[in-house]
Amino acid sequence: MSTSLRFLGATDTVTGSRYLVETDGLRLLVDCGLFQGYKQLRERNWRPFPVDPASLDAVVVSHAHLDHTGYLPALVRDGFRGRIHATAATAELSGLILPDSGRLLEEQVAFRDRHHTSRHSPPLPLYTEDDARAALERFEPHPFGQDVRLGEATVRFVPAGHILGAAQVRIATADGRVHFTGDLGRVDDPLMRPPAALEDTDVLVSESTYGDRLHPHVDAAGMLGDIVTDVCRKGGVVLLPAFAVGRAETLLLHLSRLRACGRIPEVPVFLNSPMAVDASEIYARHPEEHRISAEEFAAMYRLATLVRSVDESKLLNLRGGPAVIISASGMLEGGRILHHLDAYGGDPRNAIVLTGFQAGGTRGAALQRGERVLRIHGKDVPIRAQVHTLDMLSAHADAAQLVGWMSTAPTAPHAVYLTHGEPAAADQLRLRIRRSLGWTARVPEFGETVAVTGAPASAAGEGIAVTAP
């Protein structure tokens, strides 16, 4: 049997990362993420998985963010009995992220049930915290750079930067080699080390989140400092929605450095994310993956008051400013940040600073494009606070960095597929790759199957073997 690759997610969106590799009777799922954003995408999470979970031999996970791991609890609940292979740090971070996801899903359902805001009776969560903990028992951690033999395939995790534990995934079979970028980090990321260079591969599957834009060459930390100084001198509150793993640490690093050099006033800084607090311990255990010294790491967390309990979180909504509050989620789709938006979003003295990519269909994307009424917990919340976007703080490589990374390959891949990006971003990256590298790349369709081969195929005029979805 020849090796095939099937695209089960992330083909028309930045979320739902899922790829099926089949070879010689072996079925490997690479990533198992949640679809997020637009309702038609989120509804995919409720459909039966495209293949029987019990038929999968193993899952290989690139990193711990929910758009790459968030469907694992449902997969295990529905019959998957193999191992979930990941780096050590990804396994540790998943131990925080997945149970938290299940708990939030249960809390959202309970809220809708109490307030009769669901069309379903009774409303049910996609999965529970117990389902998430069952999935964690199937994780098997591996170091970077070690070959992992899975049947007739060999898997290797290669550093990707981005967040702690994030990996590029290389899979070699008798037919050829396929390389998944996962989420590729930046060479100039202030927190994480740069991604490892691209080795020879036959098929490349690359993310394209920022495929249609370049990160501006501006002083992002300085811009953040200006916002904090301006708002806090007026007695306001700065809300920093942040992914609890990765972005929260970067924001703390910038704020700590700004405070140390006198660029921001000495106002209270609150890290209101139990997950981010717990993640700090994991970052501390893996200094080889990030750039921060032990001394500066300690200074970051001395700067902030770490908020764990629900009661402490509620009190933040009563204290007012001046203050800075870092809280999840980064795209305003859940978590404690929604309560802070309800409390502080209506006051023009305050500010909301979006610090990363906002997927279409999320509250963050709505706010970014100018909407000033957000639906939160069943009611319309007017937003009169200032809204700023600092997406140059993103931990994703931009278009030029992606192509620059690709150019490190000793030889050109036979096929390049662009996923994990909005349609415009993926298509613009396709054009940039063709013009800069002379490579042929294409954007696959949802459900499409292609061949993994060590020689160029010839189909559809693209040099790529294609099977209709």
Side-chain angles (χ1 to χ4, degrees), residues 5 7 19 178-182 203-207 416-417 419:
L5 166 64
F7 298 92
Y19 311 96
V178 57
H179 187 108
F180 300 86
T181 62
V203 175
L204 173 63
V205 181
S206 174
E207 69 129 311
V416 179
Y417 300 97
T419 63

Side-chain angles (χ1 to χ4, degrees), residues 16-344:
S17 183
R18 305 172 180 178
Y19 311 96
L20 181 66
V21 176
E22 295 186 85
T23 183
D24 196 26
L26 180 73
R27 277 190 153 184
L28 299 180
L29 185 67
V30 178
D31 281 348
C32 188
L34 283 181
F35 289 97
Q36 299 166 307
Y38 294 113
K39 184 176 181 181
Q40 65 265 34
L41 292 174
R42 289 184 278 115
E43 286 177 342
R44 292 181 184 176
N45 296 321
W46 291 92
R47 297 174 189 166
F49 201 74
V51 297
D52 180 4
S55 73
L56 296 169
D57 295 289
V59 178
V60 180
V61 171
S62 65
H63 67 288
H65 280 154
L66 284 175
D67 54 338
H68 295 258
T69 64
Y71 194 81
L72 285 170
L75 194 80
V76 172
R77 179 201 60 206
D78 294 343
F80 173 68
R81 293 295 177 265
R83 306 301 292 174
I84 301 168
H85 301 272
T87 65
T90 292
E92 291 179 66
L93 289 173
S94 296
L96 302 178
I97 292 174
L98 293 180
D100 181 76
S101 175
R103 184 165 53 253
L104 284 175
L105 290 171
E106 291 184 89
E107 289 174 357
Q108 289 167 5
V109 163
F111 180 90
R112 291 172 188 150
D113 196 29
R114 286 195 307 271
H115 294 83
H116 309 290
T117 59
S118 175
R119 291 175 297 169
H120 306 283
S121 183
L124 298 173
L126 180 63
Y127 55 81
T128 66
E129 183 177 355
D130 286 343
D131 293 331
R133 296 198 181 281
L136 292 176
E137 295 177 3
R138 312 212 70 78
F139 269 78
E140 187 169 322
H142 303 279
F144 285 108
Q146 182 182 82
D147 286 344
V148 180
R149 190 73 178 177
L150 299 177
E152 296 303 311
T154 300
V155 176
R156 189 190 314 158
F157 296 99
V158 180
H162 186 59
I163 67 165
L164 200 71
Q168 307 167 47
V169 175
R170 292 179 58 82
I171 299 178
T173 73
D175 300 302
R177 302 156 297 181
V178 57
H179 187 108
F180 300 86
T181 62
D183 283 359
L184 201 70
R186 303 171 57 167
V187 295
D188 56 347
D189 190 284
L191 181 67
M192 298 301 300
R193 299 188 188 280
L198 175 60
E199 302 174 31
D200 269 328
T201 190
D202 300 301
V203 175
L204 173 63
V205 181
S206 174
E207 69 129 311
S208 57
T209 306
Y210 281 83
D212 60 347
R213 69 197 80 174
L214 304 178
H215 297 311
H217 294 289
V218 299
D219 179 9
M223 293 178 66
L224 176 63
D226 290 342
I227 296 168
V228 169
T229 299
D230 178 64
V231 172
C232 288
R233 282 179 176 167
K234 297 174 183 176
V237 175
V238 180
L239 298 181
L240 297 174
F243 300 107
V245 175
R247 193 59 39 74
E249 290 78 12
T250 299
L251 289 169
L252 278 179
L253 175 63
H254 284 313
L255 291 170
S256 175
R257 289 175 174 174
L258 290 166
R259 176 71 62 81
C261 65
R263 289 282 304 276
I264 58 173
E266 293 193 9
V267 298
V269 176
F270 299 93
L271 178 60
N272 186 16
S273 170
M275 189 196 307
V277 173
D278 291 337
S280 68
E281 300 173 3
I282 301 176
Y283 270 79
R285 287 199 293 272
H286 293 273
E288 72 285 355
E289 291 192 40
H290 58 76
R291 304 177 190 263
I292 311 304
S293 68
E295 295 75 19
E296 189 163 36
F297 198 84
M300 289 164 50
Y301 287 92
R302 283 197 303 270
L303 170 75
T305 298
L306 308 182
V307 178
R308 287 184 178 273
S309 75
V310 173
D311 287 341
E312 290 174 316
S313 179
K314 290 179 178 178
L315 286 174
L316 286 183
N317 292 330
L318 302 175
R319 73 175 306 280
V324 177
I325 300 174
I326 305 170
S327 188
S329 71
M331 292 188 285
L332 310 179
E333 283 300 278
R336 295 179 176 183
I337 191 64
L338 295 184
H339 297 281
H340 300 322
L341 278 175
D342 194 3
Y344 294 116

